[in-house]
Amino acid sequence: MEITSSHNSSSMMWFFKDRGFDDNSIQGMFRKCKRLEIVHQERANENWEYLRSIGIQERKLPSIVSKCPKILALGLNEKIVPMVECLRTLGTKPHEVASAIAKFPHILSHSVEEKLCPLLAFFQALGVPEKQIGKIILLNPRLISYSIETKMAEIVDFLATLGLKKDGMIGKVIVKDPFIMGYSVDKRLRPTSQFLKSIGLTEEDLQVVAMNFPSILSRDVNKVLEPNYAYLKKCGFQDRQVVDLVVGFPPILIKSIQNSLEPRIKFLVDVMGRQVDEVIDYPCFFRHGLKKRLELRHKLLKQRNLNCSLSEMLDCNKKKFLMKFGLLEGCALSN
């Protein structure tokens, strides 16, 4: 038995070397997966070629196998093919399955019956539309590795405590941000919701924010939310105004201060000559590109000495903006 194991191990060493793996990577994979020592090269080669055949690029295969060397030891027709075929029924675009495997190769090591089917049923029970279930799983394939009973059920219960109890509300949150299911309730989601309440958001405000931009719930309070809140206060916004900004445009609490918020505030005040509190009536001001939209549109309006509110200036596409202010003739505007 030891002779066979040694022979297979040596055979697999050459298998990896032929595919460009260095010695450190090979040793790491053998440590991760002891089964490689008894895997026949024929099985490994068969699995490798199958992964290529479903659209995974050759250059990505070493990275995928390094993350999950067990892939080469799995039974092709017993394990890998059934999972791939099931995932294909969930996808709508070419290469979605290949992309999901590249993100989380361990998905192939899970059971269709024991993991994937219960996961599909779990999302259906939350009111997630069938087409969206596939999108969720292929976007965040790591979901298959989470325990439904302990981890995901706990997150659903937490979202319900925020008042998201009407049919389908929690499902809509998960569709918008499938990655929320990977966070800890106690270490991340609850502290974030408590922070949002502490700055003045009511339960209804929190529901609106969670439905429109659920990923804010998974951001770190100390590293992201508090610094942004402090910056907004430093700009002169009052407590209720900050709440209005957050409810109107939740990403304002996670946008980069240096690269996003500060340049826009400076442009608003120093270049446009407006009062900072004008954004209260149009929080989505912070959504628009500085150079592609703000600077170009301000320049056009200034050239013609035209005045308008921020929403009139920005809350429309290029054509409507040009028509609204009679700027269609001889004008080329990218946004």
Side-chain angles (χ1 to χ4, degrees), residues 20-240:
F21 289 88
D22 59 37
D23 288 342
N24 286 338
S25 297
I26 295 171
Q27 290 170 12
M29 287 187 288
F30 274 100
R31 284 195 297 270
K32 275 185 184 178
C33 180
K34 298 296 183 184
R35 288 172 63 184
L36 288 180
E37 295 177 3
I38 58 171
V39 171
H40 289 281
Q41 185 175 344
E42 292 77 13
R43 166 168 284 190
N45 190 63
E46 188 179 30
N47 289 3
W48 182 282
E49 291 303 319
Y50 175 75
L51 293 174
R52 280 184 58 198
S53 75
I54 62 171
I56 297 176
Q57 297 173 350
E58 182 90 39
R59 62 183 178 82
K60 291 185 178 180
L61 273 172
S63 171
I64 290 170
V65 171
S66 293
K67 289 179 188 174
C68 184
K70 188 197 295 186
I71 284 179
L72 299 179
L74 297 173
L76 180 61
N77 295 312
E78 298 81 12
K79 200 86 171 179
I80 297 177
V81 172
M83 179 59 78
V84 169
E85 291 303 316
C86 283
L87 292 175
R88 276 179 169 160
T89 66
L90 301 178
T92 57
K93 298 176 184 176
H95 305 303
E96 274 187 317
V97 173
S99 175
I101 294 170
K103 288 178 191 172
F104 187 63
H106 296 78
I107 193 170
L108 296 177
S109 67
H110 289 281
S111 164
V112 170
E113 294 79 11
E114 293 176 14
K115 293 293 288 187
L116 184 58
C117 291
L119 187 62
L120 297 175
F122 176 75
F123 287 132
Q124 283 178 333
L126 291 174
V128 179
E130 194 171 323
K131 289 183 179 179
Q132 296 292 340
I133 292 176
K135 177 183 173 185
I136 288 171
I137 294 173
L138 293 173
L139 185 62
N140 184 15
R142 193 177 291 272
L143 287 167
I144 201 170
S145 69
Y146 300 149
S147 165
I148 291 174
E149 292 77 15
T150 56
K151 186 171 184 61
M152 291 201 278
E154 182 187 19
I155 291 172
V156 168
D157 290 343
F158 166 75
L159 293 173
T161 67
L162 300 183
L164 305 178
K165 296 177 182 177
K166 292 181 181 176
D167 288 346
M169 289 180 79
I170 291 175
K172 288 176 182 177
V173 166
I174 297 170
V175 169
K176 283 196 172 184
D177 183 22
F179 298 96
I180 197 172
M181 303 303 285
Y183 288 91
S184 164
V185 169
D186 292 330
K187 292 180 181 179
R188 183 59 59 87
L189 304 183
R190 185 172 289 115
T192 300
S193 68
Q194 289 172 342
F195 170 78
L196 293 172
K197 288 178 182 176
S198 75
I199 66 172
L201 270 72
T202 64
E203 183 173 307
E204 188 176 341
D205 290 333
L206 197 53
Q207 290 168 20
V208 171
V209 168
M211 290 296 295
N212 291 335
F213 192 69
S215 61
I216 195 173
L217 295 173
S218 59
R219 300 307 170 101
D220 188 280
V221 170
N222 297 324
K223 293 180 180 177
V224 181
L225 304 187
E226 277 190 345
N228 280 36
Y229 173 74
Y231 173 75
L232 293 173
K233 292 288 289 181
K234 180 183 172 184
C235 289
F237 295 110
Q238 301 301 309
D239 290 345
R240 185 61 229 179

Side-chain angles (χ1 to χ4, degrees), residues 239-291:
D239 290 345
R240 185 61 229 179
Q241 291 178 320
V242 173
V243 170
D244 290 340
L245 286 173
V246 172
V247 175
F249 185 64
I252 199 168
L253 279 184
I254 68 169
K255 290 275 189 182
S256 165
I257 294 173
Q258 185 177 355
N259 299 322
S260 182
L261 301 184
E262 192 170 42
R264 283 164 177 77
I265 291 286
K266 284 179 68 67
F267 184 79
L268 177 77
V269 176
D270 297 344
V271 178
M272 299 179 74
R274 294 177 181 253
Q275 298 297 313
V276 71
D277 59 7
E278 284 192 51
V279 298
I280 303 300
D281 294 325
Y282 187 62
C284 285
F285 168 81
F286 294 98
R287 174 172 64 86
H288 299 288
L290 184 58
K291 294 191 178 297

Side-chain angles (χ1 to χ4, degrees), residues 1-9:
M1 183 69 180
E2 287 183 7
I3 295 174
T4 304
S5 175
S6 177
H7 172 75
N8 287 338
S9 179

